[in-house]
Amino acid sequence: MDFYQSQDTLTAIEWALRAIIAFIFLLIVTRVLGQRAISQLRPLDFLMALVIGNIIAHPLSDEHLEMKGSIISTIVLVILYLLGIFMILKWPTFRRLVNPKPINIVQNGEILHKGLKKARISVDILLEELREAKVEDVKKVALAIWEADGKISVFLDPKYEPLTPDSMKIHTEPFDMPRVIIKEGIINLKELKQIQKDEDWLVSNLKRLYQTDVKNVLLATIDKKENIKVFLYM
């Protein structure tokens, strides 16, 4: 266990052993901290982001530390990370060990206090998350689940779901992504060519529809029906 103690120098194997022990220890710490602490990162991803940044930073800030140890440690941790990803995909038992199960925190309009405690969040945080999901009343929630990445998945009771054209049997046009033809006063000639238009056509339409020049346009888009929308510098 000499590699565990303070040493003047370490061999490559001792550096690797240190990295392995640190990886396992910090994975345990990450699980203990809970989902809220790691926010929107999976435990394995959070661990790698935390550890590798610190490993690389130390030899860059301390002239007495050599780069060899940091490089070896980083390589070992990357290998462990890739191995962990493989094990998550291959073995459900390991997946459950690393990624906590989703936790029900609201069901049929009722807040599940046990679920809140297990997820380690307060009612205030729950309400904040529901507001971000544009849900103003907990009673409208059929199910809210605290996910492993720290997000809340919210499912409304069907009677509170907003009406959609499909539910009302209304025909709609297929989705169309408008093309950017002017950005910050510069014409996108490539986009114009794809819709078989030229610069003169665009300039004349700007003057006819908006009484302005290209240089005054912050953003202009065009859809498949050739409707031009213009946002001017304000």
Side-chain angles (χ1 to χ4, degrees):
M1 295 288 287
D2 289 342
F3 68 91
Y4 187 75
Q5 306 296 329
S6 175
Q7 302 288 330
D8 292 330
T9 59
L10 292 172
T11 65
I13 293 175
E14 289 173 331
W15 275 111
L17 288 171
R18 277 192 173 190
I20 292 170
I21 288 177
F23 183 87
I24 295 171
F25 172 72
L26 286 170
L27 186 58
I28 294 170
V29 170
T30 301
R31 288 287 280 112
V32 171
L33 286 175
Q35 292 139 281
R36 187 68 189 180
I38 62 176
S39 188
Q40 296 178 3
L41 289 175
R42 299 279 176 174
L44 210 56
D45 302 325
F46 173 79
L47 174 64
M48 290 302 296
L50 178 69
V51 176
I52 289 181
N54 278 283
I55 288 174
I56 298 300
H58 283 304
L60 295 179
S61 59
D62 191 338
E63 62 185 10
H64 299 295
L65 294 175
E66 58 182 10
M67 284 293 295
K68 181 185 80 172
S70 293
I71 292 171
I72 292 171
S73 298
T74 301
I75 291 171
V76 172
L77 288 171
V78 169
I79 292 171
L80 289 171
Y81 175 77
L82 296 175
L83 181 62
I85 295 296
F86 173 78
M87 291 174 68
I88 286 172
L89 297 173
K90 194 76 174 175
W91 292 294
T93 302
F94 183 77
R95 188 186 310 137
R96 288 192 294 270
L97 178 66
V98 175
N99 291 330
K101 291 182 180 180
I103 302 168
N104 292 353
I105 54 178
V106 178
Q107 193 162 9
N108 297 325
E110 298 295 333
I111 298 174
L112 305 179
H113 185 246
K114 287 184 179 179
L116 291 181
K117 287 180 66 177
K118 193 173 181 181
R120 296 173 191 168
I121 62 172
S122 65
V123 173
D124 287 336
I125 292 171
L126 169 62
L127 296 176
E128 177 187 332
E129 298 282 350
L130 290 178
R131 287 195 298 272
E132 289 182 0
K134 296 181 172 57
V135 178
E136 82 286 0
D137 188 354
V138 180
K139 290 293 183 182
K140 294 182 179 180
V141 179
L143 183 65
I145 303 172
W146 187 256
E147 305 289 1
D149 61 357
K151 296 179 182 177
I152 291 182
S153 299
V154 180
F155 302 91
L156 291 177
D157 188 301
K159 65 187 176 195
Y160 296 115
E161 288 282 2
L163 292 175
T164 64
D166 182 63
S167 65
M168 300 180 69
K169 308 299 182 185
I170 298 174
H171 174 72
T172 57
E173 294 289 335
F175 175 75
D176 174 48
M177 176 65 77
R179 296 173 180 267
V180 175
I181 51 176
I182 301 177
K183 184 167 62 175
E184 296 176 345
I186 299 174
I187 297 174
N188 189 330
L189 296 174
K190 184 178 178 181
E191 289 287 356
L192 281 180
K193 186 177 180 181
Q194 288 183 354
I195 60 174
Q196 300 179 342
K197 302 295 181 183
D198 58 21
E199 187 174 344
D200 291 337
W201 175 87
L202 178 57
V203 171
S204 64
N205 273 276
L206 281 177
K207 288 186 177 180
R208 180 173 62 87
L209 298 172
Y210 294 95
Q211 296 79 48
T212 190
D213 296 319
V214 173
K215 64 181 181 180
N216 300 323
V217 178
L218 176 63
L219 178 69
T221 62
I222 187 170
D223 61 22
K224 64 181 181 181
K225 293 183 178 180
E226 297 187 3
N227 295 316
I228 299 174
K229 291 185 178 179
V230 172
F231 301 87
L232 300 175
Y233 282 99
M234 300 297 289

